[in-house]
Amino acid sequence: MPRPNDEIAAVLQEYADLMAITGGDAFKVRAYEKAARAVAGYPEDVSRLDETGLRAIPQVGRSIADKVVEYLRTGTIAAVEEARARIPAGVRELTAIPTLGPKRAQQLHERLHVSSVAELADAIHQGRLEDLRGFGPKSAENLLHGIALLQQSGGRVLLDTATETAEEVLAELSRITGCVRCGYAGSLRRMRETVGDIDLLVAAEDSAPFMEAFTALPHTAEVIARGGTKTSVRTTTGLQLDLRVLPPDSWGAGLQYFTGSKAHNIGLRTLALHHGLKLSEYGLFQAESGRPVASRTEEEVYERLGLPWIPPPLREDRGEITAGLHGELPQPVRQEDLRGDLHTHTDLTDGLAGLEEMVAAAARLGYSYYAVTDHAPNLFMQRMTDEKMLAQRERLRALDGAGRGRRMRLLHGTELNIDPEGGVDWPEEFLAGFDLCVASVHSHLTLSRAEQTRRLVHACENPYVNIIGHPTGRLIGRRPGIDADLDQVFAACARTGTALEINAQPDRLDLRDEDILRARRHGVVFAVDSDAHTIGALGAIRYGVATAQRGWLTKDDVLNAWPLTRLRRFLLAKRTVHA
Ligand code: DGT
Ligand code: CA
Ligand code: CA
Ligand code: ZN
């Protein structure tokens, strides 16, 4: 989705939050929240629209359109600035707790005189919440849970936020004269699901112009440390960026060192010692003479250690060095390997774009097949009916293979809801009409471990369930996944020919990398899906691919990297065996 849309949506959402804190009109708060979501999901670049164009966006009326125009013209909105000034900083800090809304944050701030997360935690432990009307023992528990989640996330940001920021900053740095190479390293290059800080590297003879430009970036809110070859800044959103300038000759060694992980680097240094070598951020050297051996490229450094180049997502000390030495490193699946997307939505349920628009956007991504999987009836809010689903199927069949040139094939599917017993929405006769079914847990997230396990295993046993969607239901930093014996679920998937999804939405990345590694050992196959509800979200597939790579998957492990005939054979095999 166009980036300015996100930015404008964030301002509208902030305004809604600020109004809620100051006890503003609840109807108006809701109106701004809805408008924020509509802007975020709007397929066109909102910053290019005029007043009339803006008002054509669903949920955007005149007064909201005016504010957006003001923002686009001046970079701020007077009403938002005023609202910000009225809110104490302490309240804003409290709202960082995922289980605490703005209104209750304001109440806690006023009545307990707490202005930070730590002060609130103290107050709860001292039992001071018990005297407050409207905050029962459940609230205390809920708040402590939220504080724990916040601390676990430890100020880390999601992979998409970090990637976008790094790409913007690198675009600026690469324009500076004297930039021989630039790139990002650290956990971002390894594509971890969350990133603590962003490590940027530049290869150049003279570091001064880069240090200068870095501190003057529009993103920079505060300079944390400034030196000759390393500068750290904090962005307006609180994210730390480290920039290091290396001599072009030691680019490879520097990139290797700062990519990490620390544990992977320790493994490499030990290996170097066995070869009578010393590895540092400056290069690989003879231990005794100090004579340089390799430093210009990462490939050289790995090669001199007797290793193939190890892809960064694998550098987590999970056996990659041993596998490399034995020639057993996997060839990780790449985004170009994906031939289609198997879990997507349209505005027939909670998607924001229509069927034709989503299909056209998928075709632009070069896919050779694409599945539409709108929500099934048991997710009541979506108001799905048999008739609506069948009508969508007709429209989809009419679009299938239409258009000139490359012909993308369309699959008609659905995202079923797994009920507490493991059943799904429709009887088998109706399910048989779909090309494929994703089945996901959307409710009853707090059942016992035994019940969750049984429920998922039972869903796998349904001959029409092809993919388990976002298998644990976790939301990174906000909600832990369901408690289930995943090894039993993985075994059931392998036994029944059911694939596990790697949901690519950056706040899900579900299954996560470690669980993928385990599932792979059971012989499970996977589907890397965008679960897109907007055109822009189709692009999130890159984060799913990153997660698959971190789980050591090859294109053979991933259904949607297969040719359509092989995919269809896989889908039908399950039905045939059970028929
Ligand atoms: P993060 O930022 O917490 O998401 O994780 P990383 O892996 O990006 O860690 P960071 O930013 O502290 O350091 C970037 C890389 O630099 C790290 O992966 C390995 C290397 N590195 C940094 N400090 C050390 C150190 O003290 N020892 C070693 N061996 N490597 C280090
Ligand atoms: Ca880092
Ligand atoms: Ca760092
Ligand atoms: Zn879902």
Side-chain angles (χ1 to χ4, degrees):
M1 108 196 36
R3 296 265 305 132
N5 294 18
D6 285 344
E7 188 181 324
I8 294 161
V11 179
L12 295 177
Q13 180 61 48
E14 183 187 354
Y15 190 47
D17 287 343
L18 293 169
M19 281 191 292
I21 293 172
T22 48
D25 175 4
F27 182 76
K28 206 170 148 195
V29 172
R30 290 266 298 147
Y32 274 84
E33 283 176 342
K34 284 191 200 158
R37 275 201 298 278
V39 166
Y42 202 60
E44 288 168 51
D45 181 343
V46 168
S47 67
R48 293 177 186 206
L49 301 178
D50 60 7
E51 172 98 22
T52 322
L54 288 168
R55 291 188 57 184
I57 304 173
Q59 317 291 349
V60 174
R62 201 189 60 208
S63 122
I64 296 180
D66 284 345
K67 291 201 176 53
V68 175
V69 169
E70 182 186 348
Y71 183 78
L72 292 173
R73 219 174 268 145
T74 67
T76 62
I77 299 172
V80 177
E81 295 299 326
E82 278 163 31
R84 272 187 190 151
R86 286 204 302 272
I87 312 286
V91 178
R92 293 248 240 152
E93 205 194 306
L94 293 179
T95 57
I97 301 170
T99 53
L100 182 61
K103 232 191 191 131
R104 284 165 75 83
Q106 173 77 3
Q107 290 170 357
L108 290 170
H109 174 71
E110 275 174 5
R111 292 156 70 185
L112 293 175
H113 308 289
V114 291
S115 331
S116 72
V117 176
E119 282 173 21
L120 175 61
D122 285 345
I124 297 171
H125 290 304
Q126 289 157 11
R128 287 168 57 204
L129 209 62
E130 289 158 25
D131 310 329
L132 281 192
R133 269 243 305 265
F135 288 87
K138 262 256 181 297
S139 320
E141 197 182 304
N142 195 25
L143 282 172
L144 288 175
H145 173 63
I147 292 171
L149 282 176
L150 181 66
Q151 282 160 352
Q152 273 162 30
S153 70
R156 301 180 68 85
V157 299
L158 296 177
L159 186 55
D160 61 331
T161 310
T163 305
E164 285 162 15
T165 307
E167 284 173 355
E168 285 165 14
V169 174
L170 284 175
E172 302 275 336
L173 295 175
S174 65
R175 273 201 282 275
I176 297 172
T177 321
C179 177
V180 180
R181 304 196 63 159
C182 68
Y184 50 76
S187 53
L188 177 57
R189 184 157 178 251
R190 303 195 313 278
M191 296 191 276
R192 271 191 66 177
E193 61 192 39
T194 62
V195 168
D197 66 13
I198 297 180
D199 302 284
L200 300 167
L201 300 178
V202 164
E205 300 294 349
D206 179 12
S207 66
F210 297 93
M211 297 298 157
E212 194 55 50
F214 193 53
T215 53
L217 286 173
H219 298 79
T220 299
E222 179 197 351
V223 178
I224 301 167
R226 190 180 169 154
T229 57
K230 180 184 169 187
T231 293
S232 297
V233 303
R234 197 177 309 284
T235 66
T236 45
T237 57
L239 183 58
Q240 182 175 328
L241 307 183
D242 293 343
L243 171 65
R244 293 177 179 86
V245 180
L246 315 165
D249 272 348
S250 50
W251 169 258
L255 182 60
Q256 195 293 312
Y257 180 88
F258 291 110
T259 296
S261 66
K262 222 167 174 168
H264 173 82
N265 287 356
I266 291 171
L268 279 195
R269 279 204 301 274
T270 313
L271 185 61
L273 287 177
H274 284 303
H275 285 82
L277 301 170
K278 247 190 81 182
L279 179 62
S280 75
E281 62 202 277
Y282 305 107
L284 192 60
F285 303 89
Q286 295 282 1
E288 303 226 322
S289 64
R291 197 176 63 78
V293 173
S295 66
R296 284 197 67 89
T297 68
E298 273 195 330
E299 284 82 356
E300 257 176 61
V301 172
Y302 279 99
E303 197 195 323
R304 296 304 295 261
L305 292 171
L307 287 168
W309 179 79
I310 301 181
L314 269 53
R315 301 185 193 171
E316 295 290 351
D317 190 29
R318 291 172 175 162
E320 69 278 8
I321 295 179
T322 313
L325 289 172
H326 292 91
E328 288 164 1
L329 266 187
Q331 183 92 257
V333 58
R334 298 162 309 166
Q335 189 166 351
E336 311 86 274
D337 295 329
L338 295 193
R339 296 166 186 253
D341 195 334
L342 299 178
H343 178 180
T344 69
H345 296 272
T346 74
D347 62 3
L348 184 63
T349 55
D350 56 351
L352 285 161
L355 175 67
E356 289 76 7
E357 292 170 87
M358 289 299 278
V359 166
R364 285 197 294 274
L365 294 177
Y367 286 144
S368 52
Y369 50 84
Y370 180 77
V372 176
T373 57
D374 271 315
H375 289 288
N378 293 354
L379 206 60
F380 298 112
M381 303 168 305
Q382 308 303 339
R383 301 174 196 284
M384 180 51 74
T385 61
D386 296 12
E387 294 70 35
K388 280 160 83 173
M389 204 37 123
L390 294 173
Q392 182 187 57
R393 185 173 303 156
E394 285 211 7
R395 274 169 72 199
L396 178 132
R397 297 289 185 230
L399 281 174
D400 188 11
R404 292 172 298 269
R406 186 202 296 276
R407 279 156 51 101
M408 183 177 76
R409 297 308 308 268
L410 297 176
L411 301 174
H412 195 233
T414 182
E415 183 180 11
L416 301 165
N417 304 288
I418 303 175
D419 72 23
E421 281 75 45
V424 296
D425 309 59
W426 276 299
E428 296 203 346
E429 309 84 80
F430 196 84
L431 294 179
F434 290 105
D435 298 317
L436 89 167
C437 298
V438 178
S440 314
V441 165
H442 288 126
S443 65
H444 301 85
L445 303 180
T446 56
L447 297 181
S448 74
R449 184 176 175 87
E451 287 168 314
Q452 297 288 26
T453 307
R454 198 171 333 117
R455 161 190 209 191
L456 284 167
V457 168
H458 192 197
C460 289
E461 285 163 351
N462 184 316
Y464 295 96
V465 168
N466 303 114
I467 300 171
I468 303 292
H470 44 76
T472 74
R474 70 150 175 181
L475 293 174
I476 300 173
R478 286 188 288 149
R479 182 171 89 194
I482 56 170
D483 185 16
D485 180 345
L486 290 180
D487 281 301
Q488 274 197 51
V489 177
F490 299 159
C493 285
R495 174 169 55 81
T496 57
T498 311
L500 284 163
E501 180 173 80
I502 299 171
N503 188 296
Q505 287 307 307
D507 61 344
R508 288 194 183 269
L509 297 179
D510 183 10
L511 280 183
R512 55 144 48 96
D513 51 6
E514 289 144 30
D515 293 333
I516 296 169
L517 279 164
R518 268 164 68 205
R520 182 172 152 273
R521 283 184 218 116
H522 285 269
V524 181
V525 289
F526 300 83
V528 178
D529 293 334
S530 73
D531 191 7
H533 286 69
T534 62
I535 286 171
L538 288 167
I541 202 90
R542 67 188 285 197
Y543 305 112
V545 172
T547 306
Q549 294 178 340
R550 291 179 56 83
W552 290 44
L553 298 189
T554 66
K555 63 180 179 184
D556 207 41
D557 298 315
V558 177
L559 283 189
N560 49 320
W562 297 352
L564 183 59
T565 41
R566 183 174 173 199
L567 170 65
R568 281 200 198 272
R569 222 181 307 132
F570 173 85
L571 300 173
L572 288 177
K574 191 175 179 189
R575 298 183 181 187
T576 320
V577 169
H578 290 259

